[in-house]
Amino acid sequence: MIDPGSLPFEWFSLLLYAETHYRFRHFFSFLKKPEPEVIADAPLRVEPGNDIPVLLLVKDADEYPVRLLRAEAIVSCGGQKRVETLIAKSVALNKKWWWKIFHIDASGLRGWVEIDIQFDLSGSKGIRTYHNDNHRTSTHKPLKVFVADEPLPRLKDFLYGDLHSHSQYTEDQVEFGAPLEASLILSRALGLSFFAVTDHSYDLDDRVDDYLRNDPDLPKWNSLQQEVDVLNKRNKGFSIIRGEEVSCRSISGHNVHMLLFGGKRFVHGSGDSAERWLQTRSEHAIGEILGTKDPGVLAFAAHPAEDVPFLQRVLLHRGNWREQDIFAERLAGVQFANGSQTGLLRGVEQWVSALLKGNRLFAIAGNDAHGNFNRFRQLRIPFISIGESNDHRFGEMRTAVVAPHGPTEGGVLEAIGSGRCVVTNGPIAALSVRSNSGKSGIMGSSLRGAEFRVKIEARSSSEFGAFQRIVLWLGSIGGTKEVCLLEAGGAEYSFTHELRFSMKKAGYIRLDVRTSAVNDFDGAPHFCITNPIWINHP
């Protein structure tokens, strides 16, 4: 058995709900107390006509039994306040996982709504009242949910999803995720039609009852597969995309993460698991995973250019994807949008550099959310404090796929595998091209010819702001930078334009859309980046 007192502590950039019961042997923990973790969560926004689903999640009550005596929601909007009773009769909590979704009537609510979840716990220390979570040092601030007047901006056949998220199957010394079914319910209210569950490879090989010990029979991996099948069968019009976030070795020998979608065979990767003292070499190199992956499994570089903190580099030997890694054969693309601005610009630059060199990589978006629909809570200082921020919130950065037949798991995989998708945190945009010979295509397509007509479509809303800049970029293979074919802007929420262009050598076109932060819902600009359409010169 692994000695927990000898384990290195992954105390930096932890993205999941904070696990507060683990501590080093003989170390004091200010966060640990004889209660289960209790967390309230809700989606950042809800589509028009939806109630507001609020998740109340309780973990580790098998070790720390309590009674949940009462729970209520204080709902505030536009100077008005009301109280809704969620739990009036006490509930005995004595299982490892307990959760329940409460639906708050959103009729009459508009714009930003504050929801303060208050609950009373009765345990070994008596009766205590909490707001929104029972962590020491957290802010306990109300949840903030935007009740939208308009649905997410739409174009024909586009569906939204989040392609990097974690569930309760990611559970270890410092963090845990949300139940799959709860994530599905909150995702739907937010306006999504799918999400990918991409739990860590080094958590999926653990024993169910002990995250410090591995089980060669892979009960967690097998249970995840079965639950995805059941939920997809039960929920029409929504799909969970099965996946895995695998730790693997880069060209420099550092640990990087790869997203595998659609696989039913587990791939090991434990180099940065913090389960083995000073043993940081992952089982497989990037090329080995790509060379042996099953047919139909899609591989994407996860957050390839995001900052890696110093201590992660030293203790876990983590690093970034290099150019040679990005050029690996059978890599489908890159997930440079990861729920925060950190690494986003560098990720786009890295992607564009690869495109100009002839590497046909598709771009996707996710949030690396581990629960954390409303805000993300993390261990900031080990055993001492909880930190909170607005990064990595489930569904905030989205992949929009062209899926004419709906969000089936196979249909979504086919769309991202062929590049029929865009990356967005607000507006939606699309490209279509027709050659003089009559051939046509959309994002991800490859056409041959010299003269073309391109059609641009873009939609935004008052929630995400009017268009500020719409740029059609042309890249020539072997070139050093992209050339602007069209630049437009103006205070509009809808844009359609057609133009002709010619190509003298092989290349691609792609669209980059930005909105204004003036009067939008969160005071920030928003973006949409399409995948390219490739042009082969005759």
Side-chain angles (χ1 to χ4, degrees), residues 17 55 57 97 99 167-168 177-184 195 227:
Y17 295 138
L55 167 66
L57 173 63
W97 297 95
W99 64 274
S167 75
Q168 70 187 63
L180 273 180
E181 187 173 6
S183 295
L184 188 155
F195 69 84
E227 188 172 359

Side-chain angles (χ1 to χ4, degrees), residues 371-413:
N372 299 319
F373 279 81
N374 207 263
R375 60 177 177 264
F376 107 75
R377 304 167 173 97
Q378 67 180 94
L379 292 179
R380 177 163 289 167
I381 302 175
F383 318 131
I384 300 298
S385 68
I386 298 290
E388 298 178 359
S389 84
N390 289 329
D391 292 335
H392 303 289
R393 294 182 293 188
F394 202 118
E396 188 164 18
M397 291 187 179
R398 299 176 284 276
T399 302
V401 303
V402 179
H405 304 296
T408 64
E409 186 178 12
V412 173
L413 289 171

Side-chain angles (χ1 to χ4, degrees), residues 308-379:
V308 179
F310 173 75
L311 287 177
Q312 289 193 22
R313 292 182 181 275
V314 172
L315 296 180
L316 302 178
H317 203 54
R318 281 183 176 163
N320 293 114
W321 285 71
R322 306 285 182 85
E323 183 176 273
Q324 299 98 311
D325 301 316
I326 295 294
F327 272 71
E329 188 177 354
R330 301 182 76 192
L331 185 71
V334 289
Q335 181 240 327
F336 54 68
N338 195 52
S340 73
Q341 294 301 313
T342 303
L344 179 61
L345 292 179
R346 288 196 306 273
V348 173
E349 290 173 359
Q350 184 185 55
W351 177 56
V352 170
S353 176
L355 295 178
L356 288 169
K357 292 173 182 175
N359 194 0
R360 299 191 178 191
L361 290 171
F362 302 132
I364 60 171
N367 294 279
D368 214 350
H370 303 54
N372 299 319
F373 279 81
N374 207 263
R375 60 177 177 264
F376 107 75
R377 304 167 173 97
Q378 67 180 94
L379 292 179

